[in-house]
Each structure stands twice: as C-alpha cells, then as structure tokens.
Amino acid sequence: MAVDYTVIVVYLAGMLAMGWWGMRRARSKSEFLVAGRRLGPSLYSGTMAAIVLGGASTIGGVGLGYQYGLSGAWMVFTIGLGLLVLSVFFSARIARLKVYTVSEMLDLRYGGGRAGIISGVVMWAYTLMLAVTSTIAYATIFDVLFDMHRTVAIVLGGSIVVAYSTLGGMWSITLTDMVQFVVKTIGVLLLLLPIAVVKAGGFSEMKAQLPTEYFDPLGIGGETIFTYVLIYTFGMLIGQDIWQRVFTARSDRTAKWGGTVAGTYCLAYALAGAVIGTAARVLYPKLGSADDAFATIVKDELPVGVRGLVLAAALAAVMSTSSGALIACATVANNDIWSRLRGRTAEGERDEVRGNRVFILLMGLAVIATAIAIDNVVEALTVAYNLLVGGLLVPILGGLVWRRGTVHGALASVVVGGLAVIVLMATYGILANEPVYYGLLASLAAYLAVSLATPATDAAVLTAWRERLAGRSPERASEPVPAPR
C-alpha cells in the first residue's frame, strides 16, 4: 500500500499548491467568486463536469449499479440530463446576466430586492447540506485508505478543501477541479471500468450470473426515475453551485457548448458507474451495504498504484462537489444574506475579496462541524434538494420564461413551496416522494395565482431585465468586466 499512499499524498499536496497559486490571481471580487468570467471551453467543460459528478455520483452510482444493475445509472443520468437542458436552453441567458448569485437574478427580474433574502436563505440551506454530504464521504474513503476514525477523516478532508478554497476562491477551485476531472476520467472510466468487467468474467458471464432485471434499463422503477428527474434534473437548473460555474464562462457560447460537452460526459459516467456496480455484484454478491461496492472492488481487485489512482479519483469526485458547494454557500451567506441584513453598500474590491475569504472559512468550519454531527447522508441530501426544487424552481424558471410573474408571486411561491415541503417531509418521511411532488405543485399554484392577482412588474424593471438578458447592460461599476485573456 506504500505506493498507493504516496499517490494519495502527492495528490492532496497538489491540491493545496494550486490553492496557493490561485491566491495570486484572485485579486478582485469577480476573480475570486467567478474566476474573472474568463474560462474557455476546455476549462469550463472540465470543471462543470467535475462539480456535478461528486461522491454521490461515483460511490453512490456504483452502489446503485450493485443494487439494481444497469438501471442504477438513472440517478447520475438525470444529473447529466439536467446539465444538458441548462446548457442548451438557459445557460447563455444566465451567463449574460453578469451576477454572482441566483438571488441577484431574482432581484433583477422582479425588482425591489424583496425576493433576495428569503430565496437566499433557502439556497444557503441547500448549498450547506450539499457541502455537508460531500464532506461526510471523506470518512468512507479515508477509512479504506488509512483505517482512520470518522471524525478525523472528515476534519482532514474538509480542512484541505477549506484551505485551497479560502486561499484562491474560484480560481483555485477551477484549477483543482480540472485536475480532479482528469483523475476521475483516468481512474474510473479508463482503469476501474474495464478492470471490473474483466474481473467479473466479461458481460456474458455477468448476464449468466445475475437475474435478467439487472439488465433491464427501467428495472429501478418508473416512479423512482420520475423522482430523480424532479430532484436532480430540475435541481441542476437552479442550484447556486451550478449557476456560479455558468457565471465563470468567457461567453454565452462557451456556457452553452461547454456545458453540453460536460452533460454528455455525465451520461457516459452514469453508465460506467452502473456497469462497475453490476460487476461488483458478480464478484461480491453478499456485501452488507451497496455503498461498500466501490471501496471493496477497488481495495480487492486493483493492482498497487492503480488502486491509489482510483482512490484518488474518488477523493477527486468528493472534493470537486465539496469545494463547489462551499464557495456557493459562502457566496450566498455573504452577498445575499449578511450584506442585505446589514444594508451594506459596495466595498472596495480588496475588502470584498477579504470578506468572501472570511465567509468561506466560516462556512467551511460550519460544514465540518455539521458533517461530524450528521450520520445519514441520503436524508441530508434529500432535504437539500427537496427545499431547492420545492421552494425555488418555480420562481426562477417562471422569471425566465413568463413575463407576467410578479415579485409577490415569487415570494408566495418560495414560502408556500418551502413550507409545504417541510410539512410533508415531517408527515410522510424525509425519503418519501410526496414532499417534492406536492411541494412543487403548491409552489406553482401560489406563483400563478398571486402573480395574476397582483399588479404586473414595473415596465422599467422588465426593460432593464431584458437588457441584462441580451448582454447589453454592463456589470456593476464596482466590478468592471475584465478583458478576456
């Protein structure tokens, strides 16, 4: 294992070094939060794929393949589908807005700033829980590597992510995500996938050993697939962690086509995880937990050196999602909640960078502490996505496609949808499908009814909104748009 340990240590040290390098570039709010809005197609595609394919997509995707066979690909497949829809239909308009958060978009669309804090609180809760669930995954990986106590593993992995994110902001995260994308591609797609299939005896032997439903594309169940679409496909359309990556694109063309490439990559990754899990079912038919499939096949079947690289790929998956969620959580907490509550005017660029660094550090400590206290990753992630989709999907997409939507309709939609999700989770259970189904319907009904019952949005607000969507309105004066390099 010495060679494997060396691979992992070198990888982690490289992440910290990139954080230090990124600190030298992040000298303005725009550079720190959205990498100066200057990422080209290659960097944009790689980093977007890295953030959406986290620990749940890698470890969880293999686990679903172990449990359901090829249809276990549906969870990650719906993530890729959401990214494709976002990229093709919405990303160009989002990139042209030149904002930093989803709540700023709501303020621009509806006017008055009244939607900002409420939507910011919901988005903050989502990004916090997303970062927590990614951080918890460190415990699984470091346990395989070093037989490390859960708390120590969370603190170690979380501290590395907090360190490089705090130092360089989005520039550091972009650079580390690009490395993580390459490591995941090599480790999971090019190494683990073919080795797992060969070790299981090839596809013919897998079909002979397993029930036929393991090779049924819909074997996981239609209701489960529909729920995945609601939670993950729609969640990709509105999450701050995803939008903040769209804001880094150099142009709306980069956002559209770079995101399309990333979404297509996600579809391939989904199938790979399901196949690996299916192979693991042949090799280890009686594992105590489906989520142990990834770690078990890596630990027992891969040669020295390759094993270290694949475990580094698992770490890469977790770190990319964790760092993206962390900077999104800190951005929302500082720009959408704290600044509004204080009524603060714009600071100088250096002060804004320092303030955002402080918030990344504070949110990072909160994420680590929460991850230590929470045991059930699935429940935490379900709460996050239920609140996001139930509370924010309708007012965000409604604002993009329906001119008659008003600020009162948006506020009613957030409040009614969010409360409905919370009450229904308490009634039916956190993991039930009903909360997101009925919460989304309640949010839509409130948005339509209240918008039609209240005066239309002021014409000046809509004119300014259309100018921003068309890319004819510059970024805020305190944040000049940097020239592309």
Side-chain angles (χ1 to χ4, degrees), residues 62 66 188 192-193 196-197 271-281 294 297:
V62 171
Y66 182 89
V188 176
L192 182 57
L193 174 61
V197 172
L271 183 59
V275 171
I276 293 168
T278 305
R281 184 74 179 202
F294 179 88
I297 197 170

Side-chain angles (χ1 to χ4, degrees), residues 254-270:
T254 296
K256 180 176 181 178
W257 295 112
T260 301
V261 171
T264 304
Y265 177 89
C266 291
L267 303 183
Y269 200 88

Side-chain angles (χ1 to χ4, degrees), residues 230 416-417 420-421 424 428 433-444:
L230 280 185
V416 171
V421 165
L424 290 167
Y428 289 97
N433 293 326
E434 287 83 358
V436 71
Y437 292 171
Y438 299 137
L440 191 55
L441 288 175
S443 178
L444 177 62

Side-chain angles (χ1 to χ4, degrees), residues 31 49 54 57 74 76 100 119-120 134 136 158 170 218 224 262 275 288 312 335 357 365 371 377 431 460:
E31 297 280 355
S57 299
W74 273 105
V76 183
Y100 293 101
S119 62
S134 301
I136 292 173
M170 188 59 81
L218 303 178
T224 298
V275 171
N335 293 271
R357 276 202 178 102
L365 295 174
V377 180
L431 299 180

